[in-house]
mmCIF file with all atom_site columns, all heavy atoms in Angstrom:
data_model
loop_
_atom_site.group_PDB
_atom_site.id
_atom_site.type_symbol
_atom_site.label_atom_id
_atom_site.label_alt_id
_atom_site.label_comp_id
_atom_site.label_asym_id
_atom_site.label_entity_id
_atom_site.label_seq_id
_atom_site.pdbx_PDB_ins_code
_atom_site.Cartn_x
_atom_site.Cartn_y
_atom_site.Cartn_z
_atom_site.occupancy
_atom_site.B_iso_or_equiv
_atom_site.pdbx_formal_charge
_atom_site.auth_seq_id
_atom_site.auth_comp_id
_atom_site.auth_asym_id
_atom_site.auth_atom_id
_atom_site.pdbx_PDB_model_num
ATOM 1  N N   . ILE Z 1 73 ? -29.855 -53.378 253.992 1.00 0.00 ? 73 ILE Z N   1
ATOM 2  C CA  . ILE Z 1 73 ? -28.779 -52.789 254.714 1.00 0.00 ? 73 ILE Z CA  1
ATOM 3  C C   . ILE Z 1 73 ? -29.248 -51.546 255.467 1.00 0.00 ? 73 ILE Z C   1
ATOM 4  O O   . ILE Z 1 73 ? -28.840 -51.338 256.533 1.00 0.00 ? 73 ILE Z O   1
ATOM 5  C CB  . ILE Z 1 73 ? -27.614 -52.354 253.637 1.00 0.00 ? 73 ILE Z CB  1
ATOM 6  C CG1 . ILE Z 1 73 ? -27.175 -53.596 252.900 1.00 0.00 ? 73 ILE Z CG1 1
ATOM 7  C CG2 . ILE Z 1 73 ? -26.551 -51.676 254.381 1.00 0.00 ? 73 ILE Z CG2 1
ATOM 8  C CD1 . ILE Z 1 73 ? -26.120 -53.296 251.789 1.00 0.00 ? 73 ILE Z CD1 1
ATOM 9  N N   . GLY Z 1 74 ? -30.152 -50.775 254.836 1.00 0.00 ? 74 GLY Z N   1
ATOM 10 C CA  . GLY Z 1 74 ? -30.559 -49.547 255.580 1.00 0.00 ? 74 GLY Z CA  1
ATOM 11 C C   . GLY Z 1 74 ? -31.303 -49.898 256.844 1.00 0.00 ? 74 GLY Z C   1
ATOM 12 O O   . GLY Z 1 74 ? -31.051 -49.283 257.846 1.00 0.00 ? 74 GLY Z O   1
ATOM 13 N N   . PHE Z 1 75 ? -32.152 -50.881 256.827 1.00 0.00 ? 75 PHE Z N   1
ATOM 14 C CA  . PHE Z 1 75 ? -32.834 -51.312 258.072 1.00 0.00 ? 75 PHE Z CA  1
ATOM 15 C C   . PHE Z 1 75 ? -31.911 -51.942 259.045 1.00 0.00 ? 75 PHE Z C   1
ATOM 16 O O   . PHE Z 1 75 ? -31.999 -51.774 260.318 1.00 0.00 ? 75 PHE Z O   1
ATOM 17 C CB  . PHE Z 1 75 ? -33.966 -52.319 257.743 1.00 0.00 ? 75 PHE Z CB  1
ATOM 18 C CG  . PHE Z 1 75 ? -35.287 -51.709 257.447 1.00 0.00 ? 75 PHE Z CG  1
ATOM 19 C CD1 . PHE Z 1 75 ? -35.429 -50.886 256.289 1.00 0.00 ? 75 PHE Z CD1 1
ATOM 20 C CD2 . PHE Z 1 75 ? -36.460 -51.800 258.325 1.00 0.00 ? 75 PHE Z CD2 1
ATOM 21 C CE1 . PHE Z 1 75 ? -36.735 -50.338 255.981 1.00 0.00 ? 75 PHE Z CE1 1
ATOM 22 C CE2 . PHE Z 1 75 ? -37.644 -51.349 258.058 1.00 0.00 ? 75 PHE Z CE2 1
ATOM 23 C CZ  . PHE Z 1 75 ? -37.798 -50.457 256.937 1.00 0.00 ? 75 PHE Z CZ  1
ATOM 24 N N   . ALA Z 1 76 ? -30.900 -52.811 258.582 1.00 0.00 ? 76 ALA Z N   1
ATOM 25 C CA  . ALA Z 1 76 ? -30.021 -53.439 259.456 1.00 0.00 ? 76 ALA Z CA  1
ATOM 26 C C   . ALA Z 1 76 ? -29.164 -52.478 260.222 1.00 0.00 ? 76 ALA Z C   1
ATOM 27 O O   . ALA Z 1 76 ? -28.638 -52.764 261.352 1.00 0.00 ? 76 ALA Z O   1
ATOM 28 C CB  . ALA Z 1 76 ? -29.216 -54.434 258.774 1.00 0.00 ? 76 ALA Z CB  1
ATOM 29 N N   . LEU Z 1 77 ? -28.799 -51.288 259.647 1.00 0.00 ? 77 LEU Z N   1
ATOM 30 C CA  . LEU Z 1 77 ? -27.968 -50.346 260.226 1.00 0.00 ? 77 LEU Z CA  1
ATOM 31 C C   . LEU Z 1 77 ? -28.616 -49.687 261.357 1.00 0.00 ? 77 LEU Z C   1
ATOM 32 O O   . LEU Z 1 77 ? -27.928 -49.074 262.265 1.00 0.00 ? 77 LEU Z O   1
ATOM 33 C CB  . LEU Z 1 77 ? -27.449 -49.309 259.223 1.00 0.00 ? 77 LEU Z CB  1
ATOM 34 C CG  . LEU Z 1 77 ? -26.345 -49.726 258.255 1.00 0.00 ? 77 LEU Z CG  1
ATOM 35 C CD1 . LEU Z 1 77 ? -26.248 -48.768 257.117 1.00 0.00 ? 77 LEU Z CD1 1
ATOM 36 C CD2 . LEU Z 1 77 ? -25.144 -50.053 258.967 1.00 0.00 ? 77 LEU Z CD2 1
ATOM 37 N N   . VAL Z 1 78 ? -29.971 -49.674 261.480 1.00 0.00 ? 78 VAL Z N   1
ATOM 38 C CA  . VAL Z 1 78 ? -30.715 -48.926 262.498 1.00 0.00 ? 78 VAL Z CA  1
ATOM 39 C C   . VAL Z 1 78 ? -31.432 -49.963 263.463 1.00 0.00 ? 78 VAL Z C   1
ATOM 40 O O   . VAL Z 1 78 ? -31.439 -49.779 264.628 1.00 0.00 ? 78 VAL Z O   1
ATOM 41 C CB  . VAL Z 1 78 ? -31.685 -47.957 261.850 1.00 0.00 ? 78 VAL Z CB  1
ATOM 42 C CG1 . VAL Z 1 78 ? -32.454 -47.239 262.891 1.00 0.00 ? 78 VAL Z CG1 1
ATOM 43 C CG2 . VAL Z 1 78 ? -31.045 -46.952 260.971 1.00 0.00 ? 78 VAL Z CG2 1
ATOM 44 N N   . TYR Z 1 79 ? -32.143 -50.879 262.855 1.00 0.00 ? 79 TYR Z N   1
ATOM 45 C CA  . TYR Z 1 79 ? -33.012 -51.784 263.666 1.00 0.00 ? 79 TYR Z CA  1
ATOM 46 C C   . TYR Z 1 79 ? -32.237 -53.090 263.981 1.00 0.00 ? 79 TYR Z C   1
ATOM 47 O O   . TYR Z 1 79 ? -31.194 -53.389 263.309 1.00 0.00 ? 79 TYR Z O   1
ATOM 48 C CB  . TYR Z 1 79 ? -34.300 -52.160 262.895 1.00 0.00 ? 79 TYR Z CB  1
ATOM 49 C CG  . TYR Z 1 79 ? -35.112 -50.949 262.638 1.00 0.00 ? 79 TYR Z CG  1
ATOM 50 C CD1 . TYR Z 1 79 ? -35.469 -50.566 261.456 1.00 0.00 ? 79 TYR Z CD1 1
ATOM 51 C CD2 . TYR Z 1 79 ? -35.660 -50.231 263.742 1.00 0.00 ? 79 TYR Z CD2 1
ATOM 52 C CE1 . TYR Z 1 79 ? -36.323 -49.472 261.129 1.00 0.00 ? 79 TYR Z CE1 1
ATOM 53 C CE2 . TYR Z 1 79 ? -36.541 -49.130 263.566 1.00 0.00 ? 79 TYR Z CE2 1
ATOM 54 C CZ  . TYR Z 1 79 ? -36.786 -48.812 262.236 1.00 0.00 ? 79 TYR Z CZ  1
ATOM 55 O OH  . TYR Z 1 79 ? -37.685 -47.665 261.994 1.00 0.00 ? 79 TYR Z OH  1
ATOM 56 N N   . PRO Z 1 80 ? -32.737 -53.883 264.914 1.00 0.00 ? 80 PRO Z N   1
ATOM 57 C CA  . PRO Z 1 80 ? -32.092 -55.146 265.308 1.00 0.00 ? 80 PRO Z CA  1
ATOM 58 C C   . PRO Z 1 80 ? -31.968 -56.105 263.979 1.00 0.00 ? 80 PRO Z C   1
ATOM 59 O O   . PRO Z 1 80 ? -32.928 -56.063 263.149 1.00 0.00 ? 80 PRO Z O   1
ATOM 60 C CB  . PRO Z 1 80 ? -32.914 -55.774 266.362 1.00 0.00 ? 80 PRO Z CB  1
ATOM 61 C CG  . PRO Z 1 80 ? -33.577 -54.555 266.929 1.00 0.00 ? 80 PRO Z CG  1
ATOM 62 C CD  . PRO Z 1 80 ? -33.805 -53.544 265.834 1.00 0.00 ? 80 PRO Z CD  1
ATOM 63 N N   . ILE Z 1 81 ? -30.907 -56.785 263.834 1.00 0.00 ? 81 ILE Z N   1
ATOM 64 C CA  . ILE Z 1 81 ? -30.708 -57.649 262.675 1.00 0.00 ? 81 ILE Z CA  1
ATOM 65 C C   . ILE Z 1 81 ? -31.771 -58.768 262.558 1.00 0.00 ? 81 ILE Z C   1
ATOM 66 O O   . ILE Z 1 81 ? -32.021 -59.334 261.581 1.00 0.00 ? 81 ILE Z O   1
ATOM 67 C CB  . ILE Z 1 81 ? -29.306 -58.312 262.641 1.00 0.00 ? 81 ILE Z CB  1
ATOM 68 C CG1 . ILE Z 1 81 ? -29.027 -59.075 263.871 1.00 0.00 ? 81 ILE Z CG1 1
ATOM 69 C CG2 . ILE Z 1 81 ? -28.305 -57.192 262.450 1.00 0.00 ? 81 ILE Z CG2 1
ATOM 70 C CD1 . ILE Z 1 81 ? -27.727 -59.832 263.831 1.00 0.00 ? 81 ILE Z CD1 1
ATOM 71 N N   . LYS Z 1 82 ? -32.498 -59.044 263.756 1.00 0.00 ? 82 LYS Z N   1
ATOM 72 C CA  . LYS Z 1 82 ? -33.479 -60.060 263.663 1.00 0.00 ? 82 LYS Z CA  1
ATOM 73 C C   . LYS Z 1 82 ? -34.677 -59.612 262.802 1.00 0.00 ? 82 LYS Z C   1
ATOM 74 O O   . LYS Z 1 82 ? -35.411 -60.454 262.139 1.00 0.00 ? 82 LYS Z O   1
ATOM 75 C CB  . LYS Z 1 82 ? -34.027 -60.441 265.042 1.00 0.00 ? 82 LYS Z CB  1
ATOM 76 C CG  . LYS Z 1 82 ? -34.565 -59.174 265.824 1.00 0.00 ? 82 LYS Z CG  1
ATOM 77 C CD  . LYS Z 1 82 ? -34.878 -59.696 267.205 1.00 0.00 ? 82 LYS Z CD  1
ATOM 78 C CE  . LYS Z 1 82 ? -35.265 -58.464 268.110 1.00 0.00 ? 82 LYS Z CE  1
ATOM 79 N NZ  . LYS Z 1 82 ? -35.475 -58.863 269.582 1.00 0.00 ? 82 LYS Z NZ  1
ATOM 80 N N   . THR Z 1 83 ? -34.898 -58.415 262.620 1.00 0.00 ? 83 THR Z N   1
ATOM 81 C CA  . THR Z 1 83 ? -35.943 -57.928 261.707 1.00 0.00 ? 83 THR Z CA  1
ATOM 82 C C   . THR Z 1 83 ? -35.565 -58.151 260.266 1.00 0.00 ? 83 THR Z C   1
ATOM 83 O O   . THR Z 1 83 ? -36.381 -58.636 259.443 1.00 0.00 ? 83 THR Z O   1
ATOM 84 C CB  . THR Z 1 83 ? -36.217 -56.423 261.889 1.00 0.00 ? 83 THR Z CB  1
ATOM 85 O OG1 . THR Z 1 83 ? -34.985 -55.683 261.574 1.00 0.00 ? 83 THR Z OG1 1
ATOM 86 C CG2 . THR Z 1 83 ? -36.591 -56.000 263.286 1.00 0.00 ? 83 THR Z CG2 1
ATOM 87 N N   . VAL Z 1 84 ? -34.330 -58.059 260.011 1.00 0.00 ? 84 VAL Z N   1
ATOM 88 C CA  . VAL Z 1 84 ? -33.851 -58.366 258.496 1.00 0.00 ? 84 VAL Z CA  1
ATOM 89 C C   . VAL Z 1 84 ? -33.921 -59.901 258.391 1.00 0.00 ? 84 VAL Z C   1
ATOM 90 O O   . VAL Z 1 84 ? -34.286 -60.361 257.318 1.00 0.00 ? 84 VAL Z O   1
ATOM 91 C CB  . VAL Z 1 84 ? -32.348 -57.818 258.338 1.00 0.00 ? 84 VAL Z CB  1
ATOM 92 C CG1 . VAL Z 1 84 ? -31.845 -58.359 257.003 1.00 0.00 ? 84 VAL Z CG1 1
ATOM 93 C CG2 . VAL Z 1 84 ? -32.389 -56.317 258.341 1.00 0.00 ? 84 VAL Z CG2 1
ATOM 94 N N   . ALA Z 1 85 ? -33.476 -60.616 259.471 1.00 0.00 ? 85 ALA Z N   1
ATOM 95 C CA  . ALA Z 1 85 ? -33.528 -62.147 259.272 1.00 0.00 ? 85 ALA Z CA  1
ATOM 96 C C   . ALA Z 1 85 ? -34.964 -62.616 259.039 1.00 0.00 ? 85 ALA Z C   1
ATOM 97 O O   . ALA Z 1 85 ? -35.173 -63.536 258.154 1.00 0.00 ? 85 ALA Z O   1
ATOM 98 C CB  . ALA Z 1 85 ? -32.952 -62.693 260.545 1.00 0.00 ? 85 ALA Z CB  1
#
Side-chain angles (χ1 to χ4, degrees):
I73 300 176
F75 270 67
L77 286 170
V78 178
Y79 295 121
I81 58 174
K82 57 188 175 183
T83 60
V84 172

